[in-house]
């Protein structure tokens, strides 16, 4: 589990925030999901109120696929898949939090993830929300399915006026 605590970072100075995570890779194997949950109003939400929709595209030298992906009333969000344990073939992700300090709406964000393995490139673009209650976003946590370790090289948070 890797958690980012934004409770002291989100401020009235900026209305929107972008989290850029670079260098995601797994210790071994392939095909693992990167999953996430939000900290809303001071608590990590583990109940079944996450909803998302996304498109997933991959391409290699001879073919490519496009598919839809989503969750409805799930206890986590699927952010992307990590297809390779080679650090040079890592995955990067950007998450846009739209007015995360707002307490009168459902917590929501947009994300994009992209990476590669030895055979193809992949890209995922999505939108997610926590539908359990209104509240401010105070953090986000990530982990791999089957408790797979997900490594991160760097993470940066930017405020946008």
């Amino acid at each position: 589990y890797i958690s980012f605590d934004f409770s002291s970072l989100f401020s009235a100075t900026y209305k929107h925030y972008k989290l850029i995570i670079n260098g995601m890779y797994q210790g071994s194997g392939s095909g693992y999901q990167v999953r996430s949950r939000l900290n809303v109003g001071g608590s990590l939400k583990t109940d079944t109120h996450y909803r998302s929709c996304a498109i997933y595209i991959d391409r290699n030298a001879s073919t490519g696929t496009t598919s839809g992906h989503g969750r409805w009333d799930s206890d986590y969000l699927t952010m992307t898949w990590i297809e390779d344990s080679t650090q040079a073939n890592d995955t990067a992700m950007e998450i846009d939090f739209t007015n995360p300090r707002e307490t009168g709406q459902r917590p929501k964000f947009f994300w994009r993830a992209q990476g590669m393995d030895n055979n193809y490139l992949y890209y995922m673009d999505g939108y997610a929300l926590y539908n359990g209650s209104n509240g401010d976003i105070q953090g986000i946590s990530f982990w791999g399915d089957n408790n797979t370790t997900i490594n991160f090289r760097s993470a940066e948070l930017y405020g946008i006026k």
Side-chain angles (χ1 to χ4, degrees), residues 38-161:
L38 292 173
N39 178 322
V40 177
S43 66
L44 185 66
K45 300 301 181 183
T46 61
D47 51 3
T48 56
H49 293 292
Y50 289 100
R51 296 178 178 180
S52 67
C53 59
I55 57 170
Y56 179 83
I57 303 166
D58 64 42
R59 176 72 197 179
N60 65 19
S62 61
T63 188
T65 61
T66 301
S67 62
H69 178 79
R71 296 239 171 245
W72 195 263
D73 292 340
S74 178
D75 66 342
Y76 64 89
L77 296 164
T78 302
M79 304 297 288
T80 191
W81 287 263
I82 294 186
E83 301 295 341
D84 202 318
S85 58
T86 306
Q87 289 186 34
N89 296 342
D90 60 10
T91 296
M93 184 167 29
E94 293 181 357
I95 301 172
D96 294 321
F97 296 102
T98 57
N99 202 7
R101 297 181 66 239
E102 174 62 50
T103 58
Q105 66 186 18
R106 297 290 193 244
K108 57 188 174 288
F109 62 88
F110 302 91
W111 85 95
R112 287 155 306 285
Q114 57 279 330
M116 65 178 286
D117 77 0
N118 291 324
N119 298 314
Y120 61 91
L121 297 174
Y122 55 89
Y123 176 79
M124 191 164 181
D125 190 355
Y127 169 74
L129 66 81
Y130 175 75
N131 199 47
S133 62
N134 293 349
D136 61 326
I137 297 173
Q138 295 187 12
I140 190 167
S141 296
F142 300 97
W143 76 98
D145 61 327
N146 297 320
N147 294 317
T148 304
T149 299
I150 304 296
N151 300 294
F152 292 71
R153 256 192 233 109
S154 66
E156 299 169 341
L157 181 68
Y158 297 93
I160 304 167
K161 288 189 176 186

